[in-house]
Each structure stands twice: as C-alpha cells, then as structure tokens.
Amino acid sequence: MTPQLEAAIAAIQPLSPTERLQLLQILTQSDSVSNSQPDIKVLSAQFWQGISLQQLRATQNPSTVHSLKDLAADFWPAEDSIEDFLAFLRKQRQEAS
C-alpha cells in the first residue's frame, strides 16, 4: 500500500458511515466519467442504425446445430415423473383461473 493511500484511509476514518458512502459514490461517478464511456446518444444512434447480418454473424460467432440431440439437456430428476409434474401443472392452472 502506498503512503498516499495510507494517508487517504487515515483521513477517511473520522467520517461517518453516511459521509463515507457519499465519498464512495463521488469517487465511483468521477471514475466512470473519466473512463471515456461512449455517449448515450452515440450508442442510441448505433442501435437504431442496425448492422448487416454478416456483421452480426462476425461479432457473435454463432455455431450451427446439426441435430436436436445437441440441444437436449439431462436435467429432469429421475425420482420425479412427468405425470406428477403434469398433474401439478394442471392443478396450478385450475387454481389460477
């Protein structure tokens, strides 16, 4: 830890929790402004401008699904039957209506 950081921490110690929180918010805000984040108007214009399908594909690098088995997930608990689940679902829907 640098001497400057130690001095800053020592200077903060007498502050109340509310004052510490305010200081943290000020430091966080000034840090985010100095990180040169893009202007919201620029981001909005870029969003509505749109991009071509080829550009979108290049940025996302999608994979091709060759079989539905590739999408299958094995998450259903063996001790729970589908019939019990469907009975529960019907009961919930009847209670809701």
Side-chain angles (χ1 to χ4, degrees):
M1 190 178 311
T2 66
Q4 290 174 329
L5 188 54
E6 289 177 356
I9 292 172
I12 293 170
Q13 294 303 321
L15 296 177
S16 71
T18 303
E19 292 170 324
R20 289 181 187 186
L21 182 59
Q22 288 173 346
L23 178 62
L24 182 60
Q25 288 172 340
I26 291 168
L27 291 173
T28 304
Q29 288 173 353
S30 65
D31 187 40
S32 67
V33 170
S34 66
N35 282 340
S36 68
Q37 293 184 356
D39 184 17
I40 191 70
K41 290 180 183 180
V42 172
L43 292 174
S44 178
Q46 289 174 347
F47 175 80
W48 290 109
Q49 193 174 39
I51 60 174
S52 71
L53 187 56
Q54 289 77 13
Q55 290 170 321
L56 182 62
R57 185 173 184 266
T59 60
Q60 293 186 355
N61 194 20
S63 61
T64 304
V65 177
H66 297 286
S67 169
L68 288 178
K69 290 181 182 180
D70 295 342
L71 299 176
D74 186 23
F75 61 86
W76 196 271
E79 64 273 3
D80 293 338
S81 72
I82 186 66
E83 289 80 16
D84 291 342
F85 171 73
L86 293 175
F88 169 78
L89 188 60
R90 280 189 214 100
K91 182 179 175 187
Q92 293 297 314
R93 288 179 177 172
Q94 287 173 353
E95 291 176 3
S97 58

